[in-house]
Amino acid sequence: KPGEQKHPKEPPSLQCMHLAVVACGDRLEETLIMLKSAVLFSSRRLCFHIFAEDSLKPEFETKLKEWPSSYTKKFESNIYPITFSVGNAQEWKKLFKPCAAQRLFLPVILKDVDSLLYVDTDVLFLRPIDDIWQLLREFNSTQLAAMAPEHEMPKIGWYSRFARHPYYGSTGLNSGVMLMNLTRIRSTRFKNSLIPGGLTWEEMLYPLYQKYKNYITWGDQDLLNIIFYFNPECLYVFPCQWNYRPDHCMYGSNCRGAEEEGVSILHGNRGVYHDDKQPTFKALYEVIRDFPFEDNLFQSLYYPLQSRFLDTVHTLCGRIPQVFLKQIEKTMKKVYENRVIVYLGANHKY
């Protein structure tokens, strides 16, 4: 319109928080529950990048469309085939768990995305993604990725006892939750044990795998540990409550951050959502899975969780329910406060 001021549009890659996941085999349900937990609590718009086998693509599309419009308007989703830009695709696909190595190629594939949060399928968000997204601002000038330690205690950590390859720090890193500045990753030359002058991320992946493939146990996670062993200045280490796993409570509570603030991101590795070894983790998964989207969060999510946790007190994880509930309770209060403010604002008469 004449006289109307024009504002430049924000680049698409900056309009939302980007979340990536890789799903192969029987991981459809797990991935959908993870995405559901992301949408339930987050306030800013989300962009999902789902890397999946061809057979799973139509199922993802159908299931996501079934969600109520009040939630589908909070995100957009893109589904990609499994692809590897260098080396032998079949070798990469079979490395550790099916397709897990796909995460190593995200900086190469998602060329228009500036920053990204990658998570494994067995992750649940117990607070808004907005909060972990804010950690990108805490990166210093050399940091380009963030992960949590594999363990809090070197004496009983896997890497410190068994690893036959270089790894980051005293306990190694767990790559199930990985925050990345992809722009920095693409523009950095990484120190390595192959070429003195440094290599780009893409140049480094296959030669590094070839050199260490007979020594690695945990596939792509081990390769990431090797990369950040040689480039420690590139890593921001976030505390254990951002990647809370059974190891943090099954032998006694050893994640101080979760004790103080509550669990922010739950990582149910070891298949604990689907067996009875850690019923506290299974209870969280099933309550979020069964929560009807538009129901009352306190009534249909928080109170059922409290009830389910009463049946888990025979386990060490079950004896610290406040660790699992603290952030959920805080998040739900925020959600309701925001709704009340919006409602009052819309109905306020001057």
Side-chain angles (χ1 to χ4, degrees), residues 117-150:
L117 177 63
Y118 164 86
V119 295
D120 284 349
T121 61
D122 52 9
V123 154
L124 292 171
F125 294 95
L126 305 188
R127 68 190 284 183
I129 291 183
D130 311 57
D131 297 337
I132 192 170
W133 197 256
Q134 290 297 319
L135 296 181
L136 286 163
R137 295 182 179 183
E138 296 187 18
F139 284 16
N140 66 25
S141 60
T142 62
Q143 289 166 340
L144 46 75
M147 285 184 275
E150 171 63 22

Side-chain angles (χ1 to χ4, degrees), residues 79-96:
I79 304 174
Y80 309 83
I82 302 296
T83 52
F84 305 99
S85 61
V86 293
N88 184 311
Q90 285 308 308
E91 240 182 325
W92 283 120
K93 195 169 182 180
K94 292 174 184 174
L95 181 64
F96 190 46

Side-chain angles (χ1 to χ4, degrees), residues 82-105 205-220 223:
I82 302 296
T83 52
F84 305 99
S85 61
V86 293
N88 184 311
Q90 285 308 308
E91 240 182 325
W92 283 120
K93 195 169 182 180
K94 292 174 184 174
L95 181 64
F96 190 46
K97 290 182 181 174
C99 309
Q102 180 71 76
R103 87 180 87 183
L104 297 173
F105 294 86
L205 290 178
Y206 195 60
L208 205 64
Y209 166 66
Q210 286 296 315
K211 178 170 182 177
Y212 291 104
K213 67 179 180 180
N214 295 324
Y215 304 97
I216 59 178
T217 303
W218 307 110
D220 49 304
L223 290 177

Side-chain angles (χ1 to χ4, degrees), residues 240-259:
C240 48
Q241 66 264 32
W242 292 105
N243 186 347
Y244 191 90
R245 304 179 301 283
D247 283 356
H248 288 119
C249 57
M250 62 193 286
Y251 307 116
S253 183
N254 62 35
C255 175
R256 187 174 294 175
E259 290 169 10

Side-chain angles (χ1 to χ4, degrees), residues 59-259:
E59 293 189 70
F60 272 115
E61 290 171 339
T62 302
K63 295 288 185 184
L64 291 172
K65 281 175 186 171
E66 289 172 0
W67 290 3
S69 60
S70 56
Y71 285 94
T72 55
K73 69 183 182 185
K74 290 177 68 175
F75 70 88
E76 62 183 70
S77 59
N78 299 286
I79 304 174
Y80 309 83
I82 302 296
T83 52
F84 305 99
S85 61
V86 293
N88 184 311
Q90 285 308 308
E91 240 182 325
W92 283 120
K93 195 169 182 180
K94 292 174 184 174
L95 181 64
F96 190 46
K97 290 182 181 174
C99 309
Q102 180 71 76
R103 87 180 87 183
L104 297 173
F105 294 86
L106 297 178
V108 182
I109 297 167
L110 300 175
K111 287 182 166 54
D112 297 327
V113 176
D114 174 66
S115 295
L116 178 83
L117 177 63
Y118 164 86
V119 295
D120 284 349
T121 61
D122 52 9
V123 154
L124 292 171
F125 294 95
L126 305 188
R127 68 190 284 183
I129 291 183
D130 311 57
D131 297 337
I132 192 170
W133 197 256
Q134 290 297 319
L135 296 181
L136 286 163
R137 295 182 179 183
E138 296 187 18
F139 284 16
N140 66 25
S141 60
T142 62
Q143 289 166 340
L144 46 75
M147 285 184 275
E150 171 63 22
H151 213 285
E152 302 308 301
M153 296 179 284
K155 284 182 182 177
I156 58 174
W158 191 91
Y159 282 103
S160 46
R161 290 187 297 159
F162 304 117
R164 296 184 296 152
H165 58 77
Y167 58 89
Y168 179 90
S170 58
T171 59
L173 299 163
N174 183 283
S175 61
V177 179
M178 187 175 179
L179 189 62
M180 294 179 272
N181 183 318
L182 299 184
T183 302
R184 286 188 181 182
I185 290 174
R186 286 187 287 263
S187 62
T188 298
R189 294 194 75 81
F190 292 87
K191 297 189 290 291
N192 57 82
S193 58
L194 306 163
I195 295 173
L199 292 166
T200 67
W201 185 267
E202 188 176 19
E203 288 170 344
M204 174 174 56
L205 290 178
Y206 195 60
L208 205 64
Y209 166 66
Q210 286 296 315
K211 178 170 182 177
Y212 291 104
K213 67 179 180 180
N214 295 324
Y215 304 97
I216 59 178
T217 303
W218 307 110
D220 49 304
Q221 177 172 289
D222 289 348
L223 290 177
L224 288 165
N225 266 282
I226 294 165
I227 289 169
F228 289 107
Y229 168 84
F230 289 106
N231 300 271
E233 72 285 355
C234 293
L235 190 76
Y236 176 99
V237 180
F238 51 60
C240 48
Q241 66 264 32
W242 292 105
N243 186 347
Y244 191 90
R245 304 179 301 283
D247 283 356
H248 288 119
C249 57
M250 62 193 286
Y251 307 116
S253 183
N254 62 35
C255 175
R256 187 174 294 175
E259 290 169 10

Side-chain angles (χ1 to χ4, degrees), residues 20-35 37 50-51 56 60 97-98 103 118-125 175-177 266-269 273-274 285:
V21 64
V22 179
C24 285
D26 59 356
R27 299 297 179 127
L28 176 76
E29 182 193 79
E30 228 176 52
T31 306
L32 288 166
I33 307 310
M34 179 276 290
L35 297 173
S37 71
I50 304 165
F51 290 81
L56 293 179
F60 272 115
K97 290 182 181 174
R103 87 180 87 183
Y118 164 86
V119 295
D120 284 349
T121 61
D122 52 9
V123 154
L124 292 171
F125 294 95
S175 61
V177 179
L266 191 77
H267 184 181
N269 63 347
Y273 297 149
H274 312 293
Y285 178 80

